[in-house]
Amino acid sequence: MNVLIISPISIRRKRAGGAENYLYEIINRVKDQKTLVLTSYNETGVYRDSNYLEYAITQHEFFFPIALIKFIRFFRSYDIIIENISKFPTVWPLILSKLLLKPLIVIVHHIHGKTLFKELPPIIALLMYVYEKLSLKLYSLFVTHVIAVSESTKEELIKLGFPEHKISVIHPAYNPRLGMCCSSALDKEPLLVVYVGRVKKYKRLEHLVKAIEIVRQRIPSVKCIIAGKGDKEVYMKLRDIIKKSGLESSITIIGEVSEKEKCELLRRASVFVNPSMKEGFSISTLEAQACGTPVVGYEIPGLVNCVKNNVTGLLVTDGDYRELAKAILRILMDEKLRLEMSKNAMMWAQSFYWDLSSKKLSDLLARLSRRR
């Protein structure tokens, strides 16, 4: 069976994120099927890494939908088409799959929804909000099958009109090499709080800063580290808030880190905090738990599927940074609770592994092939 995959952003691009990593990890483990990923990269041409084969058909992500039309010959020679929706649906794969009578699977990581108004100017946010709703409505009518990365995403898709029987949940997993970073609460720095992940407006990292300001009133020696790829504007605003709050000695911003540095941060931390507005699933939060670090966050879509509340971490009322601070304090000040949650977190994370996710995709492809 030949599978053609449409993914606008290459795994090799610096701005590649969870959606691209998800595709790479799953496809690299798929066996007995010929797969090709059409994408965009700085240089056009073929790139192979083990079972993962991609072909950059354009250098510019913006022109990717147009470039797809020129490569329609690829669509004819493949049995199944998969679209990896990392940002917004491109719609062309849907049109071409219908014209060529090919089954189409779409992978939906998360629906942006109102987070767009946090990230973009109001007019652009409104246009993208409407486009996302309408395009997904169109997909709900014609798509063969949908892969959602979490139960929360599945629920949103059902509300948009996708038939439940056409949706499969295939969770992300974490890098198995993080297993070497695992450490119990007894081996961690008892007063270190970290965030490692995307630094974007919708992540609401200013809530973490406000929470640490409250925590410091009870624990003056608390330390917090914020790390990850992100927007310069968000970093500048965070530094300004930290300076105005007099928290320079408590909060350190270190920017983008390597896998090794991320591993070390998660190994050392006693608490991982994710104050995001919304998540598809949150691989970074799963990675923290794999390293034995309890999580504190808001009770939001995606995170409720990734964190077992009161077992591997604490989820509080969305948007209430004071509750966030209380949860951080509770874990930092209760060594017994911290140790118990640390052990639970490692056990919970072990139920998410890429081989299982890849097998679920292979089974789905085989099932659709038989139906065809």
Side-chain angles (χ1 to χ4, degrees):
M1 181 169 50
N2 299 329
V3 182
L4 183 66
I5 302 160
I6 313 302
S7 186
I9 303 174
S10 169
I11 185 64
R12 295 175 287 164
R13 281 199 186 276
K14 189 173 182 181
R15 62 188 297 264
E20 290 71 38
N21 183 63
Y22 176 93
L23 181 68
Y24 170 81
E25 294 289 353
I26 284 183
I27 295 303
N28 220 350
R29 291 168 169 80
V30 169
K31 298 176 181 178
D32 303 323
Q33 279 119 18
K34 179 185 175 184
T35 60
L36 175 66
V37 180
L38 294 186
T39 188
S40 67
Y41 187 58
N42 302 336
E43 300 174 358
T44 57
V46 175
Y47 166 76
R48 181 187 286 277
D49 182 1
S50 189
N51 290 331
Y52 182 85
L53 176 65
E54 72 172 28
Y55 183 11
I57 61 175
T58 178
Q59 294 182 5
H60 306 286
E61 182 189 335
F62 180 77
F63 295 117
F64 181 74
I66 299 172
L68 278 178
I69 302 171
K70 295 189 295 183
F71 282 83
I72 193 171
R73 66 184 184 276
F74 280 88
F75 287 74
R76 290 196 178 97
S77 57
Y78 283 79
D79 304 306
I80 293 178
I81 299 168
I82 298 178
E83 181 182 2
N84 186 39
I85 303 178
S86 58
K87 295 291 183 277
F88 296 96
T90 59
V91 179
W92 274 118
L94 176 63
I95 295 172
L96 293 173
S97 69
K98 289 303 167 187
L99 288 174
L100 299 171
L101 302 177
K102 306 283 186 179
L104 174 67
I105 301 172
V106 293
I107 303 174
V108 181
H109 297 271
H110 87 243
I111 298 168
H112 295 84
K114 294 179 181 178
T115 62
L116 292 167
F117 295 92
K118 185 78 171 177
E119 291 290 326
L120 302 170
I123 297 299
I124 297 175
L126 180 60
L127 290 172
M128 297 311 295
Y129 179 83
V130 173
Y131 172 77
E132 182 180 49
K133 290 283 186 183
L134 292 178
S135 59
L136 286 174
K137 278 283 187 182
L138 183 64
Y139 274 63
S140 72
L141 298 173
F142 299 107
V143 74
T144 307
H145 205 83
V146 184
I147 295 172
V149 300
S150 69
E151 289 76 7
S152 294
T153 299
K154 178 180 177 178
E155 289 169 10
E156 287 189 273
L157 289 169
I158 291 172
K159 288 178 182 177
L160 283 170
F162 285 84
E164 186 173 0
H165 71 275
K166 286 189 175 183
I167 306 173
S168 297
V169 175
I170 302 180
H171 295 120
Y174 64 93
N175 188 333
R177 285 176 292 182
L178 280 172
M180 296 182 292
C181 293
C182 290
S183 58
S184 72
L186 292 175
D187 301 317
K188 293 176 177 290
E189 296 178 28
L191 301 178
L192 178 61
V193 178
V194 302
Y195 169 85
V196 184
R198 290 278 185 171
V199 178
K200 306 284 285 184
K201 290 179 182 178
Y202 80 93
K203 295 293 186 177
R204 296 188 296 195
L205 292 170
E206 67 274 12
H207 286 217
L208 173 55
V209 174
K210 292 176 182 177
I212 292 298
E213 187 176 13
I214 295 171
V215 170
R216 199 170 74 158
Q217 295 171 11
R218 295 281 303 275
I219 309 176
S221 56
V222 68
K223 299 293 180 184
C224 176
I225 296 175
I226 297 173
K229 291 191 288 187
D231 299 337
K232 290 182 180 179
E233 179 188 345
V234 178
Y235 270 123
M236 288 174 63
K237 183 179 179 181
L238 278 176
R239 288 191 174 96
D240 187 49
I241 295 172
I242 291 167
K243 185 176 181 181
K244 287 180 179 178
S245 304
L247 295 170
E248 295 99 322
S249 62
S250 299
I251 302 177
T252 303
I253 295 178
I254 60 176
E256 187 176 352
V257 293
S258 67
E259 284 294 308
K260 183 178 179 181
E261 290 169 325
K262 176 177 72 174
C263 181
E264 179 62 18
L265 279 174
L266 296 177
R267 186 193 67 78
R268 289 166 49 201
S270 285
V271 180
F272 180 93
V273 180
N274 185 347
S276 179
M277 288 178 68
K278 189 176 187 180
E279 296 285 352
F281 182 79
S282 185
I283 293 177
S284 60
T285 302
L286 182 64
E287 289 175 336
Q289 293 172 99
C291 290
T293 306
V295 174
V296 168
Y298 290 130
E299 199 169 4
I300 59 164
L303 216 54
V304 296
N305 309 125
C306 183
V307 179
K308 295 186 75 173
N309 193 20
N310 292 310
V311 178
T312 69
L314 298 172
L315 300 178
V316 301
T317 305
D318 184 21
D320 192 338
Y321 65 84
R322 292 180 178 84
E323 289 295 318
L324 206 67
K326 288 179 183 177
I328 295 169
L329 278 167
R330 184 181 166 194
I331 294 176
L332 289 180
M333 297 178 73
D334 189 336
E335 185 177 341
K336 183 179 178 182
L337 175 66
R338 197 164 67 245
L339 179 59
E340 183 181 354
M341 284 190 167
S342 176
K343 291 178 179 178
N344 291 340
M346 283 190 283
M347 291 178 63
W348 166 249
Q350 287 173 12
S351 61
F352 300 90
Y353 50 98
W354 288 118
D355 286 344
L356 175 61
S357 299
S358 184
K359 185 181 184 304
K360 287 182 178 180
L361 175 60
S362 294
D363 291 345
L364 173 61
L365 292 173
R367 192 163 68 247
L368 291 178
S369 180
R370 285 196 298 270
R371 285 181 190 172
R372 187 162 182 256

